[in-house]
Amino acid sequence: MNEIKNDLLLRVLRGEQTERTPVWMMRQAGRYLPDYMKLKEKYSFFERCQKPELSAEITIQPVDQVGVDAAILFSDILVVPQAMGLEVQMLEGKGPLLPEPIKTAKDLNRIYVPDVNEKLGYVFDAIKLTKQELNGRVPLIGFAGAPWTILCYMVQGKGSKTFDEAKAFCYMQPELAHQLLQMITDTTIAYLKGQVKAGADVIQIFDSWGGLLGPDDFENISLKYIRQMVSALKEDVPVIIFAKGAWHSLQSMAATGAHGLGIDWCIQPEIARQFAGYKVVLQGNFDPAKLLSPIPVIESEVKKMMNAFGSSKHIANLGHGILPNVPVDHARAFVNAVKEFQIQK
Ligand code: CP3
């Protein structure tokens, strides 16, 4: 494999002190970039995911145009339910739709733990091509959804503020729910190992809906399965867990042995550090909506954030994905403010 020139992210995740804090943005490959919007006119969402040349091109756009210290593969967490045999549509302006969600034991017979090389080989091809085209400029982050977040979509069938049907499924049919969570976990472990084999340098697990569960449910329904994933991967690759809203469980997430933990903007970095302990790297936590502020405000807010995290064991990021209406120069101002903060020290 070619050597990585800007390896700040990898060094921080290894626990090293670096000359400055690395920065990237969740959902950086996508809708706020005009070049992405041009590709959108020509190809459907899953076409963009499935054609390695398109995925690689979109993955690299923010590296060239915004100056982030890492690339994250352009794909989606919902390629996993798709590979398990469920239909997934992406509706313009509406988000995901799974027309035949899982509700009963009978539904569970429609899905399976697939051969990931057969069903998701296109993702591995996209990773190989992206690595070639990045040519060692920055590391490449691979990812998957946490089993609970994937179950949310497989059962609810679409986005939701509460995912009440997914929760009801877990509470009314716990055995079935755990069977489904284990199937997702087994698929995802094989999928992420494939990503690492193809060249992903870091893995991030997105538990976007982890914060909908109370602490006990988070342990039983979500973290139990994330723990299996981290155990299966952590010797081979640095792993970051981002469980949005699940700040109450930072201590148990750190105990999984994950190298990094993402936090959102609803917890102070100092408090997150106390909960997570002093070994793990913290990633975050700029409010994505604050990128809609005037640039001088973005700059001063970034300074506040950087001071709160301190100069080590931190990856600067947003507290959730970048919003589609953020002007590109505001995204760039965020990245530059992080980079410059170091120079002023
Ligand atoms: O981070 C990146 O830039 C890499 C690409 C990426 C996408 N989705 C592309 C995408 C990643 C890491 C994801 C993860 C993802 N997908 C999550 C977890 C992260 C999070 O934001 O919480 C979730 C919950 C999904 C499921 C999903 N995909 C939803 C709910 C939607 C619709 C709402 C939205 O964000 O647009 C998508 C569609 C999607 N995935 C788009 C992109 C760029 C936008 C659709 C389009 O451009 O046509």
Side-chain angles (χ1 to χ4, degrees):
M1 266 300 155
N2 44 21
E3 211 162 290
I4 295 173
K5 293 172 204 109
N6 174 352
D7 62 350
L8 282 170
L9 180 81
L10 301 179
R11 282 189 280 138
V12 167
L13 285 167
R14 266 187 237 129
E16 293 172 26
Q17 178 70 46
T18 49
E19 53 282 17
R20 69 169 176 83
T21 299
V23 55
W24 67 281
M25 293 179 298
M26 287 190 277
R27 308 294 290 271
Q28 68 188 18
R31 302 156 295 171
Y32 68 104
L33 287 174
D35 286 347
Y36 174 80
M37 296 311 281
K38 274 188 226 149
L39 288 176
K40 233 179 123 150
E41 288 161 18
K42 280 203 238 156
Y43 306 96
S44 75
F45 180 75
F46 286 112
E47 260 176 334
R48 277 171 271 145
C49 294
Q50 284 160 9
K51 290 190 195 299
E53 318 78 62
L54 291 178
S55 170
E57 182 180 342
I58 299 169
T59 301
I60 296 173
Q61 281 172 0
V63 178
D64 289 334
Q65 297 176 22
V66 189
V68 283
D69 292 311
I72 179 162
L73 185 75
F74 179 78
S75 181
D76 200 85
I77 62 168
L78 297 177
V79 302
V80 166
Q82 224 170 27
M84 293 174 75
L86 269 195
E87 184 186 345
V88 182
Q89 301 168 5
M90 196 58 78
L91 305 181
E92 185 55 43
K94 283 204 177 150
L97 178 72
L98 293 77
E100 294 176 299
I102 303 291
K103 303 284 179 190
T104 63
K106 218 172 127 219
D107 293 331
L108 217 57
N109 292 332
R110 289 193 275 125
I111 60 166
Y112 45 85
V113 175
D115 173 343
V116 293
N117 289 311
E118 187 189 311
K119 295 282 182 176
L120 293 161
Y122 66 88
V123 178
F124 308 148
D125 292 341
I127 289 176
K128 286 179 201 152
L129 185 63
T130 306
K131 284 289 288 180
Q132 253 176 42
E133 292 186 1
L134 275 173
N135 193 23
R137 270 176 286 170
V138 291
L140 177 63
I141 303 170
F143 69 90
W148 155 246
T149 286
I150 297 298
L151 177 144
C152 280
Y153 289 99
M154 288 177 99
V155 173
Q156 192 93 17
K158 55 182 189 299
S160 162
K161 285 209 171 81
T162 56
F163 282 99
D164 53 331
E165 291 174 43
K167 284 176 133 177
F169 179 79
C170 293
Y171 301 143
M172 297 290 286
Q173 306 182 76
E175 269 182 42
L176 215 56
H178 283 288
Q179 217 180 317
L180 177 55
L181 288 164
Q182 192 60 54
M183 288 172 79
I184 301 168
T185 304
D186 294 344
T187 306
T188 307
I189 288 174
Y191 175 47
L192 290 175
K193 280 184 177 277
Q195 292 190 27
V196 174
K197 197 170 151 218
D201 300 293
V202 173
I203 293 296
Q204 176 153 317
I205 300 168
F206 283 94
D207 199 4
S208 305
W209 307 117
L212 295 178
L213 300 169
D216 289 348
D217 283 342
F218 181 73
E219 168 58 38
N220 293 324
I221 298 173
S222 184
L223 190 56
K224 194 165 132 189
Y225 297 95
I226 292 177
R227 195 176 286 122
Q228 291 181 34
M229 293 165 61
V230 175
S231 299
L233 291 161
K234 69 177 181 187
E235 306 304 330
D236 300 332
V237 69
V239 181
I240 302 170
I241 306 173
F242 171 64
K244 187 172 181 296
W247 50 269
H248 45 72
S249 296
L250 282 168
Q251 188 181 8
S252 31
M253 283 192 266
T256 63
H259 306 73
L261 300 178
I263 58 170
D264 65 42
W265 60 98
C266 296
I267 181 166
Q268 297 90 327
E270 298 91 336
I271 295 179
R273 178 50 79 195
Q274 282 174 27
F275 285 174
Y278 293 86
K279 190 164 165 251
V280 75
V281 172
L282 291 177
Q283 175 173 278
N285 75 336
F286 203 77
D287 178 351
K290 269 202 184 156
L291 292 185
L292 299 169
S293 317
I295 286 178
V297 176
I298 295 175
E299 290 168 345
S300 63
E301 291 289 307
V302 166
K303 277 185 200 155
K304 261 196 236 166
M305 172 186 81
M306 298 297 285
N307 278 316
F309 276 101
S311 60
S312 63
K313 294 192 186 286
H314 177 216
I315 299 164
N317 204 318
L318 307 175
H320 200 187
I322 188 167
L323 300 166
N325 54 342
V326 168
V328 183
D329 56 335
H330 288 216
R332 218 177 275 128
F334 170 76
V335 168
N336 287 338
V338 173
K339 290 182 172 174
E340 277 155 27
F341 178 81
Q342 312 303 319
I343 295 163
Q344 287 162 7
K345 264 194 314 185

